[in-house]
Amino acid sequence: QQLEASEREHAKDPARLINLGQTYARLGRTGDAARMLMAARDSSRNFDLVLANGDVINSRDAAELALRNLNEQIARR
């Protein structure tokens, strides 16, 4: 709800889009998840993100990785 509510102020923020995509994926909303991840990947904005494990990755690369993982999950069904 917080991610969706922040759309007005941060609509094109790649980190928000990635997090929203991951949330949608966990909820089974794979189409919405894919749209958010593709928007983050294709965004004109990008920057480095620090992942939960401490790794640093560019937001475009993180979105692409999340999108590949989503596609693999869908393929396994």
Side-chain angles (χ1 to χ4, degrees):
Q1 290 174 338
Q2 289 176 328
L3 290 169
E4 288 175 336
S6 68
E7 181 176 10
R8 187 172 188 178
E9 299 86 26
H10 305 287
K12 297 184 182 199
D13 179 351
R16 177 191 162 277
L17 293 168
I18 292 167
N19 285 321
L20 192 53
Q22 296 286 37
T23 299
Y24 286 154
R26 287 185 191 102
L27 294 172
R29 295 173 56 182
T30 55
D32 292 329
R35 278 189 288 283
M36 294 299 111
L37 296 171
M38 287 187 284
R41 180 195 62 196
D42 300 338
S43 175
S44 61
R45 297 177 59 197
N46 73 91
F47 44 83
D48 288 341
L49 301 171
V50 179
L51 303 179
N53 66 3
D55 289 346
V56 177
I57 187 171
N58 183 273
S59 58
R60 287 185 182 139
D61 295 334
E64 179 63 32
L65 178 61
L67 189 57
R68 273 186 275 159
N69 288 339
L70 178 65
N71 287 331
E72 287 175 10
Q73 289 173 359
I74 293 168
R76 285 193 294 257
R77 290 184 183 169

